[in-house]
């Protein structure tokens, strides 16, 4: 059922990803103008990710009816398939953000979705089915939902579950999202819909991120007052200054509880770039331009936390082990599970972007 109130009015708040999770949703990739070679390499990677997560939580995968048989064949038997139409497979952004209350009840939020920028700089023209996915997921899991009156994607927000929200100005203030709203008006809406007390605005996301700098590609909240931040020590890397700007904001702020924020630096893989072969397998489209040699917006921060497990993208043999080591030290109570995920990166995101956790 669609509700006419707001979560804050009703006593519901946005929990952290490191809190208990009951299930994780993905969607099955098939767009030929985003996923190369008829999406087959991407499907293999999505299946590996879904199957790995299914060892620690229930997994459901939204699938368009024409792809059902192939998905069923590649996914483990405990992964449940659900027939939901969508335009592309970024469940973090098209699925619901689920909020909880102190009694353990859950409700979903359906944000307005416009393919990361609508007519201004959206990645495709038709996003009507994407915009209905969140409500469908809520219906299937049997929870009521709120329809937010503004454009937002799940990848653009991170929380500590204790009143602090992290986001980027680059994304939420992009002219393609809510040009009619000021920064203070957007912040007021975030407080109404996520019941947060404080919003920490980092200036920019990761270099060349076509989502206009989603926060989940730059950093991740791993505990109250503790974050990992994508980092490079190479002054010639365009990410060098962007990471330092983010660090400066995080160092100058305290969280909603007044705590200083502990920053763990996570090295960037690469730099990584599209190969000629990878680009040649994608159908040409106006919105998603993929060119050989173009810098990929690659990040180890784009991982998913599920019930004391971290599903980490493996992207570069030169830095993968270092990323695992740093996260293991920063998250000693979590098991780090690395999954090769370059095929997801080629589509413009990573493990966090293609998953949406439903809190327990």
């Amino acid at each position: 059922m669609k509700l006419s109130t707001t979560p804050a009015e009703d006593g519901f708040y946005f929990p952290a990803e490191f809190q208990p999770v009951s299930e994780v949703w993905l969607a099955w990739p098939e767009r030929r103008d985003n996923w190369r070679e008829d999406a087959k390499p991407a499907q293999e990677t999505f299946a590996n990710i879904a199957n790995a997560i299914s060892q620690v939580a229930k997994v459901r995968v939204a699938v368009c009816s024409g792809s059902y048989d192939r998905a069923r064949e590649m996914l483990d038997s405990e992964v449940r398939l659900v027939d939901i139409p969508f335009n592309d497979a970024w469940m973090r952004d098209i699925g619901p953000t689920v909020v909880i209350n102190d009694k353990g009840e859950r409700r979903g939020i359906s944000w307005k979705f416009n393919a990361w920028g609508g007519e201004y700089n959206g990645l495709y023209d038709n996003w009507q089915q994407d915009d209905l996915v969140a409500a469908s997921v809520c219906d299937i899991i049997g929870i009521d939902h709120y329809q937010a009156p503004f454009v937002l994607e799940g990848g653009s927000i991170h929380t500590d579950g204790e009143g602090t929200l992290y986001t980027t100005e680059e994304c939420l203030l992009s002219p393609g999202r809510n040009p009619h709203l000021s920064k203070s008006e957007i912040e007021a809406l975030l407080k109404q819909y996520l019941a947060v007390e404080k919003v920490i605005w980092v200036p920019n996301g990761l270099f060349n991120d076509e989502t206009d700098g989603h926060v989940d590609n730059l950093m991740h909240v791993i505990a109250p007052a503790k974050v990992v931040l994508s980092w490079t020590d190479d002054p010639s890397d365009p990410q060098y200054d962007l990471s330092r700007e983010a660090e400066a904001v995080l160092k100058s702020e305290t969280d909603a509880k007044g705590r200083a924020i502990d920053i763990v630096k996570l090295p960037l893989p690469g730099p990584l770039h599209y190969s000629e072969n990878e680009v040649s397998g994608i159908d040409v489209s106006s919105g998603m331009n993929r060119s050989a040699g173009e810098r990929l917006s690659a990040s180890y921060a784009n991982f998913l936390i599920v019930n004391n497990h971290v599903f980490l993208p493996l992207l570069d043999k030169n830095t993968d082990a270092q990323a695992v080591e740093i996260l293991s030290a920063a998250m000693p109570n979590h098991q780090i599970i690395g999954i090769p995920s370059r095929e997801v990166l080629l589509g413009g995101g990573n493990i966090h972007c293609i998953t949406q956790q439903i809190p327990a």
Side-chain angles (χ1 to χ4, degrees), residues 163-229:
T164 315
L165 191 79
Y166 298 84
T167 191
T168 68
E169 293 178 339
E170 179 188 359
C171 182
L172 265 59
L173 306 185
S174 154
R177 301 301 199 286
N178 300 289
H180 59 295
L181 296 174
S182 67
K183 181 178 176 178
S184 61
E185 287 169 331
I186 291 171
E187 185 164 316
L189 283 165
L190 291 170
K191 288 176 177 177
Q192 283 176 41
Y193 278 86
L194 297 167
V196 290
E197 296 153 48
K198 180 164 186 177
V199 180
I200 294 178
W201 294 86
V202 174
N204 293 286
L206 212 62
F207 175 71
N208 209 34
D209 183 344
E210 64 189 7
T211 65
D212 302 315
H214 271 186
V215 76
D216 72 347
N217 216 20
L218 175 74
M219 56 172 277
H220 208 307
V221 186
I222 58 171
K226 189 171 186 180
V227 303
V228 295
L229 175 65

Side-chain angles (χ1 to χ4, degrees), residues 23-304:
E23 62 186 89
V24 176
W25 280 71
L26 296 88
W28 192 249
E30 55 176 39
R31 268 190 96 99
R32 296 179 183 186
D33 59 353
N34 193 37
W35 307 105
R36 69 191 183 114
E37 294 167 24
D38 206 15
K40 286 185 170 54
Q43 288 169 358
E44 197 171 306
T45 302
F46 273 60
N48 290 341
I49 293 165
N51 292 339
I53 297 169
S54 75
Q55 302 302 303
V56 301
K58 190 159 76 171
V59 173
R60 303 205 221 199
V61 178
V63 61
C64 298
S65 46
S67 300
Y68 184 92
D69 291 347
R70 180 167 169 78
R72 184 67 283 164
E73 188 184 307
M74 298 175 75
L75 292 162
D76 290 350
S77 57
E78 59 265 30
V79 175
R80 190 171 153 204
L81 293 185
V82 186
D83 187 352
I84 300 178
F86 53 86
N87 301 105
D88 202 5
W90 302 103
M91 189 53 86
R92 176 67 47 182
D93 296 341
I94 63 176
T97 298
V98 176
V99 290
I100 62 174
N101 68 8
D102 293 337
K103 297 178 195 160
E105 296 168 326
R106 303 177 296 181
R107 292 177 178 176
I109 303 165
S110 172
W111 310 105
K112 281 188 176 179
F113 181 78
N114 71 352
W116 310 275
E119 291 178 10
Y120 176 74
N121 66 340
L123 298 184
Y124 41 81
D125 296 334
N126 180 352
W127 54 80
Q128 278 63 38
Q129 290 179 326
D130 283 341
D131 202 23
L132 300 172
V133 169
S136 298
V137 170
C138 290
D139 287 346
I140 289 162
I141 58 181
I143 60 175
D144 294 336
H145 74 276
Y146 303 92
Q147 177 56 60
F150 63 113
V151 174
L152 189 89
E153 304 96 31
S156 70
I157 48 174
H158 262 318
T159 187
D160 62 358
E162 297 186 2
T164 315
L165 191 79
Y166 298 84
T167 191
T168 68
E169 293 178 339
E170 179 188 359
C171 182
L172 265 59
L173 306 185
S174 154
R177 301 301 199 286
N178 300 289
H180 59 295
L181 296 174
S182 67
K183 181 178 176 178
S184 61
E185 287 169 331
I186 291 171
E187 185 164 316
L189 283 165
L190 291 170
K191 288 176 177 177
Q192 283 176 41
Y193 278 86
L194 297 167
V196 290
E197 296 153 48
K198 180 164 186 177
V199 180
I200 294 178
W201 294 86
V202 174
N204 293 286
L206 212 62
F207 175 71
N208 209 34
D209 183 344
E210 64 189 7
T211 65
D212 302 315
H214 271 186
V215 76
D216 72 347
N217 216 20
L218 175 74
M219 56 172 277
H220 208 307
V221 186
I222 58 171
K226 189 171 186 180
V227 303
V228 295
L229 175 65
S230 296
W231 196 258
T232 176
D233 286 316
D234 176 4
S236 69
D237 191 313
Q239 186 57 36
Y240 182 88
D241 289 338
L242 300 177
S243 290
R244 278 156 185 77
E245 284 172 11
E247 181 196 32
V249 169
L250 294 168
K251 276 185 167 173
S252 69
E253 293 274 11
T254 54
D255 69 9
K257 302 277 187 226
R259 299 171 291 211
I261 299 162
D262 182 13
I263 303 165
V264 176
K265 292 171 181 172
L266 204 52
L268 284 176
L272 305 177
H273 303 84
Y274 285 102
S275 73
E276 189 67 60
N277 182 42
E278 288 165 344
V279 168
S280 66
I282 304 167
D283 288 2
V284 176
S285 75
S286 57
M288 293 177 280
N289 300 312
R290 310 274 184 247
S291 50
E294 184 188 350
R295 169 83 170 252
L296 289 158
S297 198
S299 160
Y300 291 116
N302 205 304
F303 56 79
L304 177 73

